[in-house]
Amino acid sequence: MSARQMELVLARIAAEIVEKHPDLDNLLLIGIRRRGIPLAGRLQKHIQGLTQKNIPLGILDITLYRDDLTTVAAQPVVESTRIDIPVEGRKVILVDDVLYTGRTVRAALDLLVDFGRPRQVELAVLIDRGHRELPIQADYIGQAIQTADEEVVEVQLLEVDKAERVLLTNRELVRKKRKISTK
Amino acid sequence: MPLNRRHLLGIEDLDPVEIELILKTGESFREISARPIKKVPALRGKTIINLFFEPSTRTRSSFEIAAKRLSADTVNFSHSSSSALKGETIIDTVKNLQSMAPDALVVRHPASGIPLVLSKHVKCCVINAGDGMHEHPTQALLDMMTIREHKQKLKGLKVAIIGDIRHSRVARSNIYGLTKMGAKVWLCGPPTLLPREFEQFDVRLTWDIREALEKADVAIMLRIQLERQGENFFPSVKEYFDRFGLDRDKLRLAKPDVLVMHPGPINRGVEISSEVADGEFSVILEQVANGIAVRMALLYLLLLPGASTQVVWD
């Protein structure tokens, strides 16, 4: 997926959100660290372009809620969670780059309810690649693609990766690339 | 980026990268205490034993709250209720505790080096919560976190540590930590409480509080241990306050945005005037709040160690 296609997809998701929630006052967009954060910001801009309304943004770092925290090989660096307005009674849209096993979203839901009881929670993702391990689905999907388990969907965003595209690679390649970049 | 160690016995063992990781993680944890539900599931199923052989309310409750906010279970053993009174040696005590399968022992003891000794007898993590006149590493970490919160850095800052340096484990841990992070540390106190041995550190020594406070970015005041008054380290409390106590007049010598810190408990009118302790430059109560965050960070980093490879998890 190219940068151009990515923007079109985000514009479409923004339009879908506006269509589904004509009354935008009660919405809150929350990006899941890391790439969900810039994506939520871009959705906010698109929605503002369509309606002149500014939807508040939040950030979730789900590290401490992972279900594999005791078995995961690398200790993830914890970064901060920021939700400045009460989620109580709000319609929350969680935003992430790739929906895969569903475990990140499960963790995000647990974290979110520790901030209060939202009226409704929806999920927007850029890519849905299948292979769910939990009963979770997205409400807004940029593109659904068929993948094999050993493949890797790599979303690159200017804000995080200095490039703007979505790549379908495999684990072997990613591992090789990581080795080179850490040398 | 893991913290590759089993125990935290002192700041002396840490390198700047490790200190940076703990402080950065602590800064991320601060927000959890402001949530409506102040608890995350990270340490679910872990057991942490607080083993305190010395009176402490602040440090003990801070460790306990930190553990509970991470969903760990905590057990408190204090000197007055433990078998030490019945003649059991401390090694036997911890071997018994070890059999209860804890994941961490948080130890405070009046004798220097006890956490190190215990760490050789147990399988779990040992965290030093203050040992004799040796170190109090978590206090130094929370002090550094508080300074960074206000000054955004430690490097190059003039930090004056004033008071009973001799008996202070807080001073020793802060000397190690602050100098490793590039701060310029000044030590100040009466000659009886500031022995020459401290010249071995990369610090400046002075008996004149004015010199220590001159253009200081931070003043860390240490408690005068009044229970030691019988040992005649200074002629009188009044004279001590006149020469080494921090009041508004002396504080004017420091930078206009100086931070006044104190590890607590404070003796008003002995090492610090009430006016300064409660004044606009004081961050003493913020230190307490940061203590919880930095202890959460430490428990998280020590109890959930990982290998050094990064994993894909999308």
Side-chain angles (χ1 to χ4, degrees):
Chain A
M1 192 187 271
S2 67
R4 168 94 189 118
Q5 284 167 319
M6 224 191 262
E7 268 329 289
L8 284 174
V9 156
L10 288 170
R12 197 199 71 228
I13 293 176
E16 284 175 23
I17 292 172
V18 172
E19 191 183 357
K20 200 162 165 193
H21 304 280
D23 175 25
L24 293 165
D25 293 337
N26 208 20
L27 277 188
L28 168 61
L29 285 166
I30 297 186
I32 301 175
R33 201 175 284 277
R34 293 164 51 191
R35 292 181 183 76
I37 302 167
L39 289 176
R42 293 187 200 183
L43 284 176
Q44 180 197 41
K45 283 209 188 75
H46 281 294
I47 294 172
Q48 196 173 24
L50 289 168
T51 65
Q52 318 307 323
K53 279 187 185 162
N54 204 7
I55 311 283
L57 284 178
I59 294 173
L60 290 185
D61 183 296
I62 55 104
T63 308
L64 299 169
Y65 289 73
R66 289 171 63 148
D67 58 8
D68 59 351
L69 205 47
T70 49
T71 53
V72 70
Q75 192 170 38
V77 175
V78 181
E79 297 191 55
S80 54
T81 287
R82 277 201 66 161
I83 299 180
D84 296 333
I85 57 167
V87 301
E88 199 73 37
R90 285 217 172 232
K91 291 181 182 172
V92 173
I93 301 178
L94 294 173
V95 184
D96 205 359
D97 55 350
V98 180
L99 179 57
Y100 181 26
T101 61
R103 289 177 192 266
T104 302
V105 177
R106 193 282 307 163
L109 286 169
D110 281 357
L111 170 50
L112 183 62
V113 297
D114 281 356
F115 281 85
R117 184 179 187 271
R119 164 130 177 258
Q120 183 187 9
V121 184
E122 291 185 324
L123 175 63
V125 295
L126 189 61
I127 305 288
D128 178 354
R129 60 163 296 187
H131 300 282
R132 218 76 80 236
E133 293 169 7
L134 294 170
I136 279 169
Q137 83 284 330
D139 303 274
Y140 311 96
I141 300 169
Q143 192 179 347
I145 52 175
Q146 296 259 334
T147 59
D149 208 15
E150 65 274 10
E151 285 174 320
V152 174
V153 177
E154 220 185 315
V155 173
Q156 300 184 340
L157 298 173
L158 278 177
E159 296 90 329
V160 184
D161 312 283
K162 300 187 176 78
E164 183 93 354
R165 58 189 172 176
V166 181
L167 297 173
L168 186 61
T169 58
N170 65 53
R171 288 195 199 283
E172 221 22 67
L173 274 175
V174 171
R175 221 167 278 145
K176 274 186 199 145
K177 225 172 71 187
R178 288 246 160 84
K179 269 192 194 140
I180 295 163
S181 64
T182 52
K183 262 176 197 167
Chain B
M1 191 171 47
L3 188 65
N4 277 319
R5 56 177 66 244
R6 194 98 189 87
H7 312 293
L8 180 77
L9 303 173
I11 302 287
E12 187 181 1
D13 318 323
L14 299 179
D15 61 44
V17 179
E18 292 177 295
I19 295 175
E20 178 71 33
L21 172 65
I22 299 169
L23 296 181
K24 194 168 175 291
T25 308
E27 283 155 15
S28 297
F29 275 97
R30 202 154 38 198
E31 162 271 326
I32 294 170
S33 296
R35 292 183 191 175
I37 295 177
K38 299 185 275 286
K39 205 179 187 68
V40 297
L43 294 187
R44 221 152 33 111
K46 303 280 183 193
T47 306
I48 296 167
I49 297 181
N50 287 325
L51 189 56
F52 277 62
F53 290 91
E54 226 184 48
S56 160
T57 37
R58 198 178 334 252
T59 306
R60 211 214 49 179
S61 22
S62 178
F63 266 110
E64 190 173 350
I65 289 171
K68 287 185 165 156
R69 290 199 178 152
L70 290 168
S71 300
D73 297 306
T74 56
V75 182
N76 293 314
F77 278 76
S78 63
H79 177 63
S80 54
S81 61
S82 77
S83 312
L85 293 179
K86 300 178 188 161
E88 189 178 51
T89 69
I90 186 162
I91 304 287
D92 285 329
T93 304
V94 296
K95 281 184 173 165
N96 276 277
L97 294 177
Q98 174 67 58
S99 300
M100 300 178 192
D103 297 280
L105 275 182
V106 178
V107 182
R108 163 161 298 187
H109 200 280
S112 306
I114 288 287
L116 172 68
V117 173
L118 298 187
S119 71
K120 297 187 192 304
H121 289 274
V122 293
K123 294 192 205 85
C124 65
C125 307
V126 173
I127 299 173
N128 181 359
D131 60 333
M133 286 163 30
H134 175 227
E135 282 222 42
H136 189 355
T138 55
Q139 178 70 42
L141 290 167
L142 74 90
D143 287 346
M144 289 190 275
M145 188 173 152
T146 307
I147 298 172
R148 268 198 3 169
E149 186 184 352
H150 288 271
K151 308 282 182 198
Q152 283 76 47
K153 59 169 185 179
L154 292 165
K155 204 177 164 75
L157 296 180
K158 178 177 177 182
V159 182
I161 305 178
I162 299 162
D164 182 356
I165 309 283
R166 179 194 182 113
H167 300 105
S168 176
R169 53 194 174 214
V170 175
R172 284 173 181 80
S173 286
N174 263 317
I175 290 168
Y176 286 122
L178 289 165
T179 54
K180 278 172 204 247
M181 299 308 278
K184 290 177 286 184
V185 178
W186 284 67
L187 305 179
C188 173
T192 47
L193 294 174
L194 178 55
R196 296 287 290 265
E197 291 97 275
F198 281 89
E199 284 174 350
Q200 65 182 291
F201 298 107
D202 185 18
V203 295
R204 301 282 299 272
L205 272 57
T206 176
W207 299 334
D208 180 0
I209 191 172
R210 291 170 189 283
E211 199 183 0
L213 286 173
E214 177 85 43
K215 294 202 169 57
D217 295 283
V218 181
I220 299 178
M221 305 308 295
L222 299 175
R223 188 172 76 94
I224 283 305
Q225 307 186 9
L226 289 170
E227 60 272 24
R228 295 188 199 274
Q229 245 308 287
E231 298 171 46
N232 293 324
F233 287 107
F234 46 86
S236 74
V237 167
K238 166 95 172 59
E239 180 168 340
Y240 182 85
F241 180 73
D242 284 346
R243 280 173 165 263
F244 298 100
L246 188 61
D247 58 19
R248 210 160 258 288
D249 269 350
K250 296 188 190 108
L251 194 58
R252 277 195 198 101
L253 295 164
K255 289 219 180 118
D257 60 346
V258 65
L259 295 180
V260 174
M261 300 174 48
H262 192 302
I266 62 174
N267 291 312
R268 289 169 184 271
V270 182
E271 67 266 2
I272 190 166
S273 73
S274 279
E275 209 184 10
V276 172
D278 306 326
E280 72 264 42
F281 302 108
S282 166
V283 291
I284 296 172
L285 297 176
E286 283 175 46
Q287 287 173 268
V288 179
N290 283 336
I292 290 174
V294 93
R295 289 180 179 113
M296 286 172 79
L298 201 61
L299 290 172
Y300 167 74
L301 292 168
L302 287 175
L303 268 65
L304 292 175
S308 51
T309 49
Q310 195 66 48
V311 287
V312 183
W313 209 74
D314 49 16

